[in-house]
Amino acid sequence: MKKQKILLTLFTSAFLFSCGGSSTDKNTQAIPTIPEEDQTTTPTVIDDITCDVSYPLDIANISYEGEVQTITSLHDGSKRSDSSWQPNALDTNILITLAEPALLKQLVITWANTEYANLFSISSSKDNENWQLLNTVTESKTQTIIPDVVDLAQSPNEQQTALYLNLALSGNQVSQASTILEIEVYGCRETTAHSIELIDWYLSVPTDDDKNGKSDSIKERDLAAGYNDPRFFTLTHDSGLRFSTSVSGYKTSNNTSYVRAELREMLRRGDTSIKTQGVNKNNWVFSTAPESDLINAAGIDGTLNAQLAVNHVTTTGENYQIGRVIIGQIHANDDEPVRLYYRKLPENQYGAIYLAHEKLGGDDNYYELIGERGNNASNPSNGIALHEKFSYTIEVQGNNLNVTVIKSDGTEFHQHVDMSQSGYDVGNQYMYFKAGVYNQNNSGDPHDYVQATFYQIDNHHNTY
């Protein structure tokens, strides 16, 4: 089959610049022009796809105005400012070719400059010849570091199976060419599901939709009912849950310095009559706690088992912050009996794993399980690469804290911590597990990010 040479035409529904934004004709289609010598090529028939979920779709290529030139920076996984792309014309078509046909659900665009609204429209095609205009949102949000999510289906009847997308840019509201850091496409080729029980958790994400000045929390029932946001928390094609957060964003409280997309254990399982904090039926305690706490708590001692792969870590910022992310915790009232870190430096092939144990009201003690945690650590020969699956277990029995990491080849790394002198055997100290990505970098490029995919999260506790 001959390779088609495609020349995309600009939308005839070009955006109207005004103080109020832009407008577009929903029925207008962008019709590319195919060179005459290629018009006899037999088209590939793509059947419609039906599926009910959304996950990241692989992009085969992104090109500019249909030219051979590939814009790799728009789908290279980097959202740093030095990975941006800007066209040399105000009105520009970007052709996105998926690796395989899929049912389209969402497009995520990370704009480099959000001072002014960027104007755009999106169309889809099975054959790169016949196009359907998809979106009704035609301008980006302003004054936000969080990427835009564009819904590509306003109703089930409008969902489109496609192999190609055309992103038609019309610059911004002050007639400047748009600059983009990354483009991500979400949808599905088949229905899949994860096996993580989410009714025991709520999720913190770095937005502030309720305008309270803190990060938003997705409560247990909403999370278990299928909450999804491709920017922070989404299903993957291989039945995992992907957590992602950038350097900048809203934080859970004034006492924390970093942003997160992280689960917080909620043993009340959606019963909002039980308070979040306190020694109660939402939280658990160590078995060394006073008997009254053992009676009142939802559980005694605990085990957290997780299987995951870290997909991305930060590569910009202060030396001591680059590449580090917390992937699991036990949190107490104000202190953290354990924080489990993954850290990969930019020049290293593999990442290290270490933990911190914080005494009640005291300092942190660090323990290195794999490699070294230092800012100039050498590449750990037994380390864990990005995208490599591994497991960890955090277990507490009384004053005994045990952390185990198991690599995909079965190699185990273990650390025991004696907590008899850590102070947690006093009354009113309640515990909860946390899992996800807690970015430990607040000095890097604002769009730089951490990301991990969890395939298993199991929590267990004893009862009185």
Side-chain angles (χ1 to χ4, degrees):
M1 179 180 294
K2 294 183 179 179
K3 181 178 179 181
Q4 293 183 343
K5 299 177 181 178
I6 306 301
L7 178 63
L8 296 179
T9 60
L10 295 174
F11 284 139
T12 57
S13 57
F15 294 102
L16 303 178
F17 284 75
S18 68
C19 294
S22 60
S23 63
T24 187
D25 182 357
K26 177 67 176 176
N27 297 318
T28 301
Q29 294 181 346
I31 308 298
T33 301
I34 299 178
E36 183 175 349
E37 66 269 19
D38 286 341
Q39 290 184 3
T40 59
T41 302
T42 303
T44 300
V45 176
I46 297 176
D47 294 328
D48 285 336
I49 294 171
T50 302
C51 44
D52 298 326
V53 295
S54 179
Y55 46 75
L57 300 174
D58 291 331
I59 295 175
N61 185 60
I62 298 181
S63 59
Y64 168 51
E65 293 290 4
E67 298 292 336
V68 177
Q69 178 185 4
T70 298
I71 315 171
T72 56
S73 63
L74 290 183
H75 63 113
D76 62 356
S78 173
K79 300 179 182 180
R80 305 181 327 191
S81 58
D82 61 0
S83 183
S84 65
W85 178 83
Q86 184 182 56
N88 54 20
L90 194 67
D91 295 318
T92 304
N93 281 308
I94 297 175
L95 178 66
I96 304 166
T97 304
L98 301 178
E100 297 176 288
L103 184 63
L104 303 178
K105 299 293 183 74
Q106 298 151 316
L107 188 72
V108 175
I109 306 174
T110 304
W111 306 95
N113 187 337
T114 60
E115 183 178 359
Y116 303 103
N118 294 281
L119 311 176
F120 64 95
S121 69
I122 303 165
S123 296
S124 67
S125 175
K126 292 181 179 180
D127 56 9
N128 203 359
E129 181 176 357
N130 300 293
W131 293 87
Q132 173 65 45
L133 187 63
L134 295 183
N135 70 305
T136 57
V137 178
T138 56
E139 64 179 53
S140 65
K141 295 179 181 178
T142 61
Q143 307 301 332
T144 176
I145 200 68
I146 305 300
D148 265 345
V149 177
V150 183
D151 288 329
L152 300 181
Q154 301 302 315
S155 71
N157 293 332
E158 293 185 15
Q159 293 185 14
Q160 296 292 322
T161 298
L163 182 60
Y164 305 95
L165 287 93
N166 184 52
L167 173 61
L169 302 175
S170 296
N172 62 25
Q173 289 177 315
V174 293
S175 298
Q176 298 170 336
S178 299
T179 304
I180 301 177
L181 299 177
E182 192 78 359
I183 293 175
E184 302 163 84
V185 186
Y186 293 80
C188 54
R189 302 193 69 252
E190 59 185 1
T191 297
T192 186
H194 65 85
S195 59
I196 298 172
E197 186 178 24
L198 291 172
I199 194 64
D200 261 5
W201 307 87
Y202 81 44
L203 175 71
S204 296
V205 294
T207 55
D208 182 26
D209 291 341
D210 58 7
K211 306 301 181 184
N212 68 353
K214 298 188 295 184
S215 64
D216 293 321
S217 296
I218 314 304
K219 298 300 177 63
E220 307 97 278
R221 294 192 181 279
D222 291 334
L223 198 60
Y227 166 84
N228 177 283
D229 190 315
R231 299 168 296 180
F232 320 114
F233 183 79
T234 187
L235 185 68
T236 61
H237 70 281
D238 58 349
S239 303
L241 283 177
R242 195 182 78 175
F243 298 74
S244 182
T245 187
S246 58
V247 166
S248 295
Y250 287 92
K251 305 174 181 66
T252 54
S253 71
N254 294 328
N255 297 324
T256 185
S257 300
Y258 306 101
V259 297
R260 69 188 83 200
E262 188 180 39
L263 295 174
R264 191 269 201 211
E265 190 178 28
M266 301 287 282
L267 296 179
R268 69 184 188 179
R269 296 175 68 86
D271 184 352
T272 55
S273 67
I274 301 173
K275 293 182 178 180
T276 299
Q277 299 178 334
V279 179
N280 58 16
K281 297 307 177 183
N282 189 54
N283 304 306
W284 54 281
V285 298
F286 296 160
S287 57
T288 53
E291 185 175 11
S292 59
D293 285 0
L294 301 180
I295 294 171
N296 292 327
I300 301 169
D301 294 335
T303 303
L304 175 65
N305 294 307
Q307 183 190 47
L308 69 153
V310 178
N311 309 119
H312 195 276
V313 293
T314 58
T315 57
T316 60
E318 298 289 341
N319 285 342
Y320 75 98
Q321 295 185 350
I322 290 175
R324 64 179 189 173
V325 56
I326 293 174
I327 54 176
Q329 297 187 63
I330 296 176
H331 204 292
N333 303 26
D334 301 306
D335 303 286
E336 295 146 340
V338 65
R339 303 188 304 271
L340 186 62
Y341 292 77
Y342 175 93
R343 187 179 194 191
K344 194 191 86 67
L345 301 179
E347 63 273 15
N348 290 345
Q349 180 181 359
Y350 301 111
I353 292 186
Y354 59 95
L355 66 92
H357 169 63
E358 184 179 20
K359 294 184 177 181
L360 184 64
D363 296 329
D364 290 336
N365 292 324
Y366 287 91
Y367 303 85
E368 295 173 336
L369 277 78
I370 302 175
E372 301 174 346
R373 70 182 185 94
N375 303 331
N376 299 304
S378 59
N379 183 51
S381 59
N382 60 351
I384 297 175
L386 294 178
H387 306 296
E388 179 181 344
K389 285 186 181 181
F390 65 97
S391 301
Y392 71 73
T393 297
I394 299 173
E395 181 182 29
V396 169
Q397 294 183 1
N399 282 322
N400 295 303
L401 167 66
N402 292 286
V403 178
T404 302
V405 174
I406 305 176
K407 293 181 59 175
S408 57
D409 63 4
T411 307
E412 294 191 15
F413 304 85
H414 179 77
Q415 180 65 52
H416 171 260
V417 179
D418 181 358
M419 297 193 297
S420 59
Q421 303 300 315
S422 298
Y424 292 107
D425 52 0
V426 299
N428 297 317
Q429 284 293 312
Y430 59 91
M431 309 292 160
Y432 48 92
F433 285 124
K434 305 195 82 174
V437 289
Y438 183 15
N439 195 350
Q440 296 297 286
N441 187 333
N442 59 11
S443 62
D445 187 302
H447 289 287
D448 206 355
Y449 66 103
V450 292
Q451 187 178 98
T453 303
F454 282 73
Y455 301 91
Q456 175 191 3
I457 302 175
D458 293 326
N459 56 319
H460 304 282
H461 303 281
N462 299 324
T463 56
Y464 185 75

